């Protein structure tokens, strides 16, 4: 005679051995098997629904959930660890992360919107534009603060966005869309932003972490690739020829320059420095970073929340570009720092004042104010 089994779930009698099922170490009937159990989509074992973790699309066992999955903070769906998007300590599915990103003020480090170019109304299409990255620290990686600063910059149009930056302790990175020098100087409310940032407790110069980076569009350095390479090589040559002056200008310590904005090393011909820079192991942590496809990044400067110093730095970058565009290799070879300075357009008002402050100008220095 056959052994008689009782379903551990509903208590019914199972007469045929073929009709019995084993789930979670219990013998159950076919109906219970079909109606009350499921196959874990991760491990493939069978479990009771009451022990499942599920959303609209996925059912998995508790054990698999505990080891490999999380729930999205926003919609509650189940996400495999490999597919989790983190916002701080909170896990999100990719859809929710994207939607949250829309209303977040501090974007991921990798955030890269399509660039919008801003020029003053009387400037032509071809004027060179500069994308600025200004790191600020010590005031918190705080979305409300980011909102406050953006509400100053983006009153009319989106000219600034804010990103998180792993190299900062309690700060963030302010990133401008590419703007002409005059736009930065006369239309961009940098001064108001900087003053507010200081009031919110941020510092930039007075940290060991912050830099000021300026991106130059390669296209604005020449019409052809060869021409761009020529100009870039002369920018590199200028840095190597006048490193002592530029280093003093940068306000960096030797250690910080070496770490974040290292020089490539002097060679007699600009193209040799370019070749060396291309093979360099410094990656982007070079005073002139040429690893980006569409921009050259000047990383020389220590951060600052003092508008005059900030603007002097942008004017210097512009002057170095002009100098590399207008002069030949031979002319650059013969050019001393004093030649460069004496040749500066008087429109570089902040640059000329700053050079005097730093005793980098040929004339006597002037009084100077503290940095923040
Ligand atoms: Zn049953
Ligand atoms: Zn499982
Ligand atoms: Zn979600
Ligand atoms: Zn940068």
């Amino acid at each position: 005679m056959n052994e008689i089994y009782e379903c551990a779930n509903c208590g019914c009698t199972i007469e045929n051995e073929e009709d019995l099922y084993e789930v979670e170490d219990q013998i159950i009937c076919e109906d219970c098997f079909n109606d009350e159990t499921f196959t874990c989509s991760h491990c493939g074992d069978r479990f009771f629904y009451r022990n499942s973790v599920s959303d609209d699309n996925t059912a998995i066992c508790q054990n698999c959930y505990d080891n490999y999955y999380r729930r999205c903070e926003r919609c509650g769906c189940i996400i495999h660890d490999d597919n989790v998007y983190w916002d701080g300590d909170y896990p999100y599915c990719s859809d929710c992360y994207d939607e949250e990103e829309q209303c977040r003020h501090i974007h991921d480090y990798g955030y890269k919107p399509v660039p919008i170019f801003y020029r003053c109304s009387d400037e032509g299409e071809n004027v060179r534009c500069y994308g600025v990255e200004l790191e600020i620290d010590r005031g918190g990686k705080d979305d409300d603060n980011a909102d406050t600063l953006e509400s100053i910059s983006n009153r009319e149009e989106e000219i600034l966005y804010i990103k998180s930056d792993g190299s900062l302790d309690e700060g963030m990175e302010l990133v401008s869309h590419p703007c002409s020098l005059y736009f930065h100087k006369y239309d961009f409310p940098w001064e108001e932003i900087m003053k507010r940032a200081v009031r919110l407790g941020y510092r930039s110069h007075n940290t060991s972490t912050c830099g000021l980076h300026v991106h130059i569009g390669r296209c604005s350095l020449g019409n052809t690739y060869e021409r761009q390479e020529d100009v870039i090589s002369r920018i590199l040559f200028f840095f190597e020829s006048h490193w002592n002056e530029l280093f003093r200008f940068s306000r960096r310590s030797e250690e910080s320059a070496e770490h974040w904005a290292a020089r490539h090393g002097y060679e007699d011909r600009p193209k040799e420095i370019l070749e060396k820079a291309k093979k360099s192991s410094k990656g982007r942590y070079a005073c002139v970073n040429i690893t980006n496809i569409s921009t050259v990044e000047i990383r020389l400067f220590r951060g600052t929340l003092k508008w005059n110093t900030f603007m002097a730095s942008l004017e210097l970058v512009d002057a170095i570009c002009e100098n590399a565009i207008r002069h030949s290799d031979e002319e650059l070879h013969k050019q001393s720092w004093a030649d460069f300075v004496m040749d500066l357009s008087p429109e570089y008002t902040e640059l000329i004042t700053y050079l005097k402050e730093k005793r980098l100008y040929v004339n006597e220095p002037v009084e100077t104010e503290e940095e923040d």
Side-chain angles (χ1 to χ4, degrees):
M1 198 185 103
N2 280 346
E3 209 178 325
I4 304 280
Y5 290 94
E6 188 179 297
C7 171
N9 191 50
C10 70
C12 78
T13 305
I14 311 166
E15 311 236 337
N16 276 321
E17 213 165 317
E18 305 97 76
D19 296 336
L20 60 84
Y21 295 82
E22 197 181 328
V23 172
E24 297 187 40
D25 296 328
Q26 297 181 41
I27 304 293
I28 58 169
C29 70
E30 187 173 10
D31 286 348
C32 287
F33 181 82
N34 288 332
D35 296 345
E36 301 199 22
T37 71
F38 73 102
T39 304
C40 168
S41 62
H42 187 93
C43 66
D45 285 349
R46 200 81 189 177
F47 297 90
F48 287 103
Y49 274 123
R50 59 176 174 267
N51 296 331
S52 75
V53 181
S54 63
D55 62 17
D56 292 347
N57 304 309
T58 317
I60 50 175
C61 72
Q62 186 69 47
N63 188 46
C64 287
Y65 176 79
D66 291 344
N67 286 314
Y68 307 108
Y69 292 81
R70 283 159 216 277
R71 277 192 191 277
C72 170
E73 195 64 26
R74 189 163 175 269
C75 72
C77 78
I78 295 171
I79 338 158
H80 190 275
D81 280 350
D82 292 349
N83 302 325
V84 166
Y85 287 77
W86 290 99
D87 177 21
D89 291 338
Y90 299 107
Y92 286 90
C93 71
S94 76
D95 286 352
C96 290
Y97 188 82
D98 287 348
E99 287 195 26
E100 290 275 303
E101 172 84 11
Q102 304 291 321
C103 43
R104 209 174 292 138
H105 296 284
I106 303 180
H107 298 282
D108 275 349
Y109 185 67
Y111 178 71
K112 216 174 185 324
V114 177
I116 309 168
F117 291 81
Y118 293 96
R119 309 167 177 92
C120 297
S121 48
D122 56 344
E123 287 183 303
E125 280 286 304
N126 294 326
V127 65
R128 247 189 330 277
C129 288
Y130 302 101
V132 171
E133 297 164 344
L134 174 60
E135 294 167 341
I136 59 176
D137 209 347
R138 309 231 309 251
K141 186 180 161 184
D142 183 298
D143 214 57
D144 290 337
N145 289 348
D147 186 23
T148 303
L149 297 179
E150 274 189 355
S151 67
I152 299 171
S153 61
N154 299 352
R155 269 178 207 132
E156 282 153 36
E157 297 158 302
E158 188 199 294
I159 57 178
L160 182 91
Y161 51 93
I162 297 179
K163 302 200 303 186
S164 68
D165 186 324
S167 66
L168 305 176
D169 302 324
E170 279 297 321
M172 47 206 191
E173 185 175 76
L174 313 183
V175 187
S176 84
H177 277 278
C179 307
S180 72
L181 181 65
Y182 283 177
F183 191 94
H184 278 297
K185 193 169 179 179
Y186 299 113
D187 291 349
F188 206 116
W190 278 116
E191 191 162 18
E192 200 183 337
I193 293 166
M194 289 172 175
K195 284 186 170 153
R196 180 62 68 88
V198 170
R199 283 215 305 279
L200 289 169
Y202 292 95
R203 296 295 179 269
S204 189
H205 176 90
N206 287 321
T207 67
S208 56
T209 46
C210 293
L212 163 63
H213 306 161
V214 184
H215 285 264
I216 311 156
R218 276 185 187 248
C219 299
S220 67
L221 297 175
N223 296 328
T224 64
Y225 180 76
E226 285 68 33
R227 175 78 183 137
Q228 291 166 18
E229 294 279 285
D230 272 355
V231 172
I232 293 167
S233 73
R234 286 197 286 276
I235 292 174
L236 288 162
F237 184 81
F238 185 87
F239 269 78
E240 295 304 332
S241 305
H242 305 294
W243 178 255
N244 289 340
E245 289 84 357
L246 292 172
F247 174 69
R248 196 191 315 172
F249 191 109
S250 79
R251 296 164 292 118
R252 283 190 186 270
S253 66
E254 249 171 76
E255 197 188 0
S256 122
E258 184 51 40
H259 189 112
W260 302 109
R263 60 185 294 189
H264 292 286
Y266 182 83
E267 299 292 337
D268 219 32
R269 292 187 319 112
K271 277 288 164 53
E272 287 176 75
I273 304 179
L274 180 61
E275 288 315 311
K276 196 154 100 176
K278 283 182 178 172
K279 294 188 204 114
S280 161
S281 59
K282 295 179 182 75
R284 62 198 177 91
Y285 298 117
C287 56
V288 181
N289 163 25
I290 57 166
T291 64
N292 295 319
I293 294 167
S294 51
T295 68
V296 174
E297 181 188 24
I298 307 298
R299 298 174 52 95
L300 175 71
F301 313 107
R302 183 167 174 163
T304 180
L305 286 171
K306 186 173 160 188
W307 183 84
N308 308 74
T309 305
F310 172 84
M311 196 48 60
S313 305
L314 294 194
E315 288 181 347
L316 176 67
V317 171
D318 192 63
I320 291 173
C321 290
E322 275 302 309
N323 191 57
I325 289 168
R326 282 193 289 116
H327 294 295
S328 66
D329 286 13
E330 288 68 37
E331 286 168 332
L332 239 67
H333 245 282
K334 286 184 233 134
Q335 185 183 49
S336 68
W337 178 258
D339 293 337
F340 170 73
V341 165
M342 289 317 292
D343 204 24
L344 287 173
S345 153
E347 292 189 24
Y348 293 129
T349 50
E350 298 306 321
L351 173 59
I352 291 168
T353 306
Y354 184 82
L355 289 170
K356 289 176 182 173
E357 286 176 11
K358 289 279 164 184
R359 294 167 186 270
L360 287 165
Y361 200 68
V362 276
N363 295 327
E364 278 303 288
V366 299
E367 290 296 307
T368 163
E369 265 175 59
E370 286 297 296
E371 304 273 347
D372 284 309

